[in-house]
Amino acid sequence: MEEKNLNNELEDVAENSLENNTQPQSEDEPLDKNIKLMSPTRMVLRRFFRSKLSIIGLIMVIGLFVFCFLGPVFYNEWGETELDETGKTIYTPTVVKITDENGETYEIYQTIEKVVKDNLLAPPSADHPLGTDKEGYDILARLMYGGRISLIVSFLAVFLITVLGVVLGGVAGYFGGVIDNIIMRICDILMCLPGIPILLIVGFIIDGWAESHPDIPVQDYRIYILMAFLSIISWTGTARLVRGQILSLREQEYMVAAEAMGFSTGRKIFKHLVPNVMPQLIVQMSLSLGSMILYEATLSYLNLGVKAPQAAWGTIINVISTDMDILQNHFNVWGPAGICIVIAVLGFNFVGDGLRDALDPKMRR
């Protein structure tokens, strides 16, 4: 009996709640009062920050930028090219033979004063948190300044690749025909070229030019010249991506309307077609940043990038190619630079994966 009464009470509560939910809405109350519209930007950001890997990648990238660009502001005891000249003086007595005008030889005792640096390959300490290298440079300071060059050069290279790819790919996809064939055949030729061997040849050409023209500071801009040349031969992937997207977008209804309204070709390409390709371009750029950092580090490691006393992450690691003792016994000299490269590449790849999933939610599994 009690169970039956309880069931009746539950049915009454359910009926009352159903009646309250199905009451007609008043005329003054808007129908969409409980509907919140979300902008596309906010929706993309919401999807992006749902991914833990995206947040980790963003933290890694921001941390590197803060470390490289704001670090020297707080850690300013040592500069990029500032040597630690501290050391000790050793006095060594020696015998010196002197021959006079008559041909007679005399022996005199002299004390030779020699300053021996005790800061070379120094272990981490209060003065040098990461120690010093074999020249006496502070590793932490060079790590910060070297990161600036690596990040700036990579961003400039990716920007140049994107600009060339968007312009040439947009023109090829929109006009088609002969123009498309010419640009695509150029892409095929450039994609057959080996990147690293060509950069090695260009590096040797720059060395020869610098020796024959010592008054021109070519070596100071060596890495920028090499990365610009790399960008010129690396825009093919972006161009093919833009071309493929525009081939499918140019047949859409809004493009027919733009054609009917008499818009110029440039406006149709760069105002109506290219903005619809931007999600794919953003993902492509974020993923390309990791590759460019590896390229720059490889060139510097091969001694074709930044020259001493300037620093780059690859230049710092280059020391292990000539000194096995440092490789085996002094991890503090080359290890931090390698860790920074790994963090940068992983960070940009994580951000790129997060943007890809946020801009194209159909790819999420």
Side-chain angles (χ1 to χ4, degrees), residues 268-343:
K268 285 185 287 186
I269 293 176
F270 296 105
K271 189 173 181 179
H272 295 279
L273 289 176
V274 172
N276 288 283
V277 190
M278 285 306 297
Q280 291 80 4
L281 283 178
I282 293 173
V283 174
Q284 178 89 0
M285 291 173 65
S286 61
L287 294 176
S288 298
L289 283 170
S291 301
M292 288 299 116
I293 288 178
L294 288 177
Y295 262 112
E296 187 278 328
T298 302
L299 291 173
S300 297
Y301 177 78
L302 296 175
N303 205 23
L304 293 174
V306 179
K307 294 288 186 179
Q310 279 74 29
W313 288 339
T315 307
I316 297 174
I317 301 177
N318 175 263
V319 68
I320 66 176
S321 63
T322 57
D323 196 330
M324 292 300 297
D325 178 68
I326 294 179
L327 174 62
Q328 297 175 357
N329 302 319
H330 299 278
F331 179 80
N332 63 298
V333 174
W334 57 272
I339 293 173
C340 287
I341 293 174
V342 172
I343 291 174

Side-chain angles (χ1 to χ4, degrees), residues 12 61 129 166 170 195 219 265 276 313 346 359:
D12 294 339
V61 172
V166 167
Q219 297 290 5
T265 301
N276 288 283
W313 288 339
L346 286 179
L359 295 170

